[in-house]
Amino acid sequence: MSDAAVVIVGGGPAGLAAAIVLRHSGVGPVVVLEREREAGGVPRHTDHTGFGLRDLYRVMRGPRYAEHYTELAARAGADVRTEATVTAWTAGAATHEAAIALDVTSPAGRARLSADALILATGCRERPRTARLVPGARPLGVFTTGTVQQLVALEHARIGRRAVIVGAEHVSFSAVSTLAHGGARTVAMVTDLPRQQSYRALAWLTAGVRGVPILTSSAVTDVIGRRRVEAVEVTDLRTRARRRIDCDTLVFTGDWIPDHELARSAGLAMDAGTRAPRVDGALRTSARGVFAAGNLVHAAETADVAALSGRHVAESVRAFLASGAWPERAPVPLVCVSPIRWISPSAVDVESPRVPHGHFLLRVDAFRGDAVVEACQADRVLWSQRYRVLVPACSIHADASWLSRVDPSAGPVIIRVAP
């Protein structure tokens, strides 16, 4: 007998929302494993408004939103364990005693936990400076947005005085406000794209009113400083002209990657576009009884979108536990062609045409105007839609009504911009 009906790895909006729905459906025990000291995920230290519109139908500040979900999970009877890290797990016949077994490390020591079903809701993170291969010195004062948010919101720390932000998407503009609360003035934003990628209103309310210049088609090509950042070199990618900007803080924003280490370590089939576990419309992975949800499979969407993904996966898990049914045929993969960067879900099970949110989520890696996006299989166009503009780092919704036309024996479905 398993220790839990469902184990959820990740106590952010997706994981907590899934736990709440499962408990309200009578599934139990449900254990949520969260490696931080408190559950709630990124909203805990994202102290601005705008949370909860799609899932709660009201607007809340980040910390209150996180607290709300944590409270609901506790009331529903979910066993939320904080400071608990999964170091390894196995699924299938190799575990013998249960479908899934996890090795968990916490302040209480090491333990093994078994479950009938597993939900990976580990979220995503920004790529740090080292992963972006930015040359120069290695002084103090280099951060990601997530680190800045935690230091300012949770530690009430002063970040610096003059900051340069790498990136110009939604979270980049949010970082301008966070830095201001931490005592730092943003002196420049740098993006390698030809224009910023966020909403005009957000850009104006954060950077515009503060007079922050946005250096487009540019890149940070050197970090200067000994003990602390003293300046950065910025190169114009069109003219190759270089300029020095004095600063004591450098913040890398956006460029999201999923926290997929657990998925990879257990050998789940991965999607090249999302760099996350390949999931079908029911958010099933390639391992029986293992599901993935939230920003692990679509990095990075807003917290309420992640929460809705958690609700969706909970229904899939509940159905699996009730029937034990799992697809015998591998799902049809969805393959993206540039400038389409990824699509989520990333595979199609023709017997389960329902997808989270009622539509696919797409991202692109380049601006395109008046573009037609289409889904093709063999010589057939299954779906097409015209978009006025495609913007990197901004979600694109794609209709899912074409799923019934997918032929399970005709090879992958290609997602592309029509020539």
Side-chain angles (χ1 to χ4, degrees):
M1 182 175 179
S2 302
D3 298 316
V6 184
V7 169
I8 302 170
V9 183
L16 293 175
I20 293 164
V21 171
L22 287 167
R23 290 298 299 133
H24 286 169
S25 301
V27 174
V30 174
V31 177
V32 180
L33 302 175
E34 168 56 49
R35 64 187 177 189
E36 297 286 339
R37 293 183 180 179
E38 296 180 27
V42 171
R44 285 194 310 120
H45 49 76
T46 311
D47 194 9
H48 60 71
T49 191
F51 291 84
L53 185 60
R54 296 176 182 87
D55 55 338
L56 304 177
Y57 306 108
R58 51 181 150 154
V59 178
M60 309 170 73
R61 299 189 73 83
R64 177 60 192 129
Y65 178 86
E67 183 181 23
H68 178 76
Y69 265 103
T70 303
E71 292 172 350
L72 288 180
R75 288 181 204 160
D79 180 3
V80 181
R81 305 179 187 180
T82 57
E83 297 186 274
T85 301
V86 177
T87 55
W89 66 278
T90 52
T95 63
H96 299 296
E97 295 181 358
I100 299 156
L102 305 97
D103 293 328
V104 183
T105 300
S106 71
R110 298 180 61 184
R112 172 154 284 209
L113 186 63
S114 60
D116 298 319
L118 172 66
I119 300 174
L120 298 175
T122 48
C124 63
R125 63 182 184 272
E126 294 161 301
R127 286 207 306 159
R129 180 252 180 104
T130 51
R132 305 190 199 204
L133 304 179
V134 177
R138 296 290 187 268
L140 298 174
V142 180
F143 307 94
T144 61
T145 312
T147 303
V148 169
Q149 289 173 338
Q150 290 193 44
L151 289 172
V152 172
L154 303 182
E155 306 295 335
H156 307 291
R158 289 187 62 86
I159 299 301
R161 294 185 177 181
R162 292 172 56 87
V164 170
I165 293 175
V166 178
E169 58 181 85
H170 303 325
V171 70
S172 313
F173 291 100
S174 176
V176 175
S177 297
T178 303
L179 285 164
H181 292 150
R185 180 170 67 91
T186 302
V187 296
M189 301 179 71
V190 182
T191 176
D192 58 354
L193 293 172
R195 57 185 185 271
Q196 61 93 357
Q197 306 100 54
S198 187
Y199 308 120
R200 290 183 180 179
L202 177 60
W204 169 249
L205 289 172
T206 54
V209 297
R210 293 180 171 88
V212 179
I214 302 174
L215 309 181
T216 58
S217 299
S218 300
V220 172
T221 50
D222 194 11
V223 179
I224 304 164
R226 293 185 179 181
R227 294 180 59 86
R228 177 86 188 197
V229 174
E230 299 172 8
V232 295
E233 176 190 81
V234 176
T235 300
D236 188 307
L237 300 177
R238 298 158 296 191
T239 66
R240 308 311 301 178
R242 300 180 180 181
R243 62 184 293 187
R244 173 186 168 118
I245 301 177
D246 292 333
C247 61
D248 61 9
T249 303
L250 179 61
V251 181
F252 288 90
T253 66
D255 199 358
W256 303 98
I257 56 174
D259 272 323
H260 55 205
E261 287 77 12
L262 284 178
R264 288 190 178 278
S265 68
L268 295 183
M270 305 297 288
D271 177 67
T274 60
R275 295 176 287 185
R278 186 192 68 203
V279 292
D280 62 14
L283 300 183
R284 293 175 293 221
T285 72
S286 58
R288 178 182 174 83
V290 181
F291 301 76
N295 278 338
L296 171 62
V297 297
H298 48 56
E301 296 295 326
T302 56
D304 50 3
V305 172
L308 291 175
S309 177
R311 294 180 185 177
H312 181 89
V313 78
E315 294 298 332
S316 299
V317 172
R318 184 184 61 79
F320 166 71
L321 293 174
S323 67
W326 195 262
E328 295 184 4
R329 182 196 295 264
V332 178
L334 305 181
V335 178
C336 297
V337 177
S338 183
I340 307 297
R341 185 172 186 177
W342 55 254
I343 184 169
S344 183
S346 51
V348 174
D349 174 22
V350 294
E351 297 180 1
S352 302
R354 179 170 170 260
V355 298
H357 329 298
H359 55 254
F360 287 93
L361 293 173
L362 298 173
R363 289 288 180 93
V364 297
D365 54 21
F367 285 95
R368 287 292 180 91
D370 192 28
V372 175
V373 178
E374 59 184 19
C376 305
Q377 188 182 39
D379 296 326
R380 297 184 301 142
V381 176
L382 307 179
W383 163 84
S384 67
Q385 183 172 335
R386 184 177 297 276
Y387 294 87
R388 186 177 63 84
V389 62
L390 303 177
V391 180
C394 288
S395 296
I396 300 161
H397 293 178
D399 177 43
S401 61
W402 52 274
L403 292 181
S404 60
R405 297 195 287 275
V406 175
D407 184 344
S409 60
V413 175
I414 307 301
I415 310 298
R416 67 184 186 185
V417 173

